[in-house]
Amino acid sequence: AFAALQTNVNDADVRVRVSALRALRSFAYEKAEPLLLTALNDTSAQVSVAAAEALINFAPANAYTKILEAATK
């Protein structure tokens, strides 16, 4: 299932990318983190917002600095 989500976060369809990002919350944060951080800078605002929402609701407190650095790239 995780491998499918890894593919879907890069899908051409924005809706598929958003759904994949939301589904990543079913996995360990450490496993999902790279995909979520990358998605913060997606060309679609919808995808970036979905990644931010997932990170806000999912990330441990010690990850916030890393998230802020990724969001400001």
Side-chain angles (χ1 to χ4, degrees):
F2 187 80
L5 293 176
Q6 286 179 297
T7 300
N8 289 346
V9 296
N10 296 309
D11 196 272
D13 187 330
V14 170
R15 295 168 296 180
V16 172
R17 295 197 309 269
V18 168
S19 294
L21 292 168
R22 290 179 177 154
L24 285 172
R25 289 187 257 180
S26 300
F27 295 89
Y29 176 77
E30 293 76 20
K31 193 170 184 177
E33 180 189 55
L35 299 172
L36 294 168
L37 292 177
T38 299
L40 285 174
N41 296 303
D42 194 273
T43 56
S44 165
Q46 290 173 296
V47 173
S48 296
V49 168
E53 288 174 344
L55 287 163
I56 288 168
N57 293 307
F58 186 40
N62 65 350
Y64 292 158
T65 301
K66 191 174 188 178
I67 294 166
L68 287 173
E69 289 172 0
T72 56
K73 285 185 180 178

